[in-house]
Amino acid sequence: MREFLIKYGLVLAGGAIQGLGMGLFLFPNSIPSGGAGGIAILLNHWFGISDGLALWIVNSSMLLFGVTYFGKRFVLWTIVGITTTSVSIQFFEQFVFIPDRHLIVDLVLGSIFLGIGIGMLMRQDVSNGGVGVVAMIIAAGKEILPGKPLFYINCFVFFVTAAVIDWKIILLAFPANGFPRK
């Protein structure tokens, strides 16, 4: 029981920290935090769906594909993480206001908090959802590392998001997501 509570606390903390980075720093500047984040920004732009809810919808629908590949336990923990992230995004967007925004500061802080949150989730063998699940499925089918398909999927989403919202977000999105590894 103790191990379960520790894992649960770390997954909640990781999701909340990831949500802080996205909801307080990245999303207000329309900087996608990844493929799912870019799709969420597009859903917000086109349909007015809040970023937190849009991200949850995107992550949950992609996670349905992961049940058969990764098992129910992985998916349940990931749902806890992505739900916490989405609720956190919603909270920070509604209740925390930063009066004098500085794009570079927001990018750096958002990237740091996003990375810490994702790292905490991954250390608990929990995905942060989104296109990472799709990339993991592609990688397993082709026997390659998931970084390559994830990079290509994210690039496609970034270009579409940039074409719809603003081209400068392509330059801002890459530091928030890193570059592909071998």
Side-chain angles (χ1 to χ4, degrees):
M1 181 65 157
R2 183 175 185 266
E3 290 176 18
F4 171 82
L5 291 175
I6 290 171
K7 180 171 183 157
Y8 188 71
L10 289 171
V11 169
L12 290 177
I17 292 169
Q18 176 179 276
L20 180 136
M22 295 165 78
L24 194 57
F25 300 108
L26 298 177
F27 283 0
N29 294 295
S30 295
I31 300 170
S33 59
I39 295 168
I41 288 171
L42 288 170
L43 290 173
N44 173 276
H45 180 76
W46 287 329
F47 305 110
I49 299 172
S50 71
D51 289 322
L53 177 60
L55 185 68
W56 191 87
I57 291 169
V58 172
N59 280 331
S60 296
S61 37
M62 291 186 187
L63 193 56
L64 291 175
F65 296 114
V67 173
T68 56
Y69 288 93
F70 305 115
K72 294 175 187 171
R73 181 168 289 165
F74 171 84
V75 170
L76 288 173
W77 279 111
T78 300
I79 287 172
V80 171
I82 64 174
T83 300
T84 303
T85 299
S86 295
V87 169
S88 298
I89 290 168
Q90 196 72 27
F91 172 82
F92 289 113
E93 286 184 336
Q94 286 185 351
F95 298 111
V96 180
F97 175 71
I98 299 176
D100 294 321
R101 289 205 164 274
H102 299 283
L103 185 62
I104 299 303
V105 172
D106 282 358
L107 175 63
V108 169
L109 291 175
S111 299
I112 290 169
F113 285 115
L114 177 68
I116 290 170
I118 290 172
M120 289 176 73
L121 291 172
M122 293 178 103
R123 283 191 168 261
Q124 297 305 310
D125 294 321
V126 174
S127 170
N128 66 325
V131 298
V133 173
V134 175
M136 291 171 75
I137 292 169
I138 292 169
K142 296 195 178 268
E143 297 181 14
I144 58 174
L145 293 174
K148 278 188 177 181
L150 182 62
F151 178 73
Y152 292 123
I153 293 167
N154 281 343
C155 283
F156 174 76
V157 173
F158 292 154
F159 281 109
V160 171
T161 307
V164 171
I165 309 274
D166 188 346
W167 285 103
K168 74 178 178 185
I169 66 172
I170 289 176
L171 298 174
L172 299 172
F174 282 110
N177 292 285
F179 292 94
R181 294 171 186 86
K182 288 185 176 180

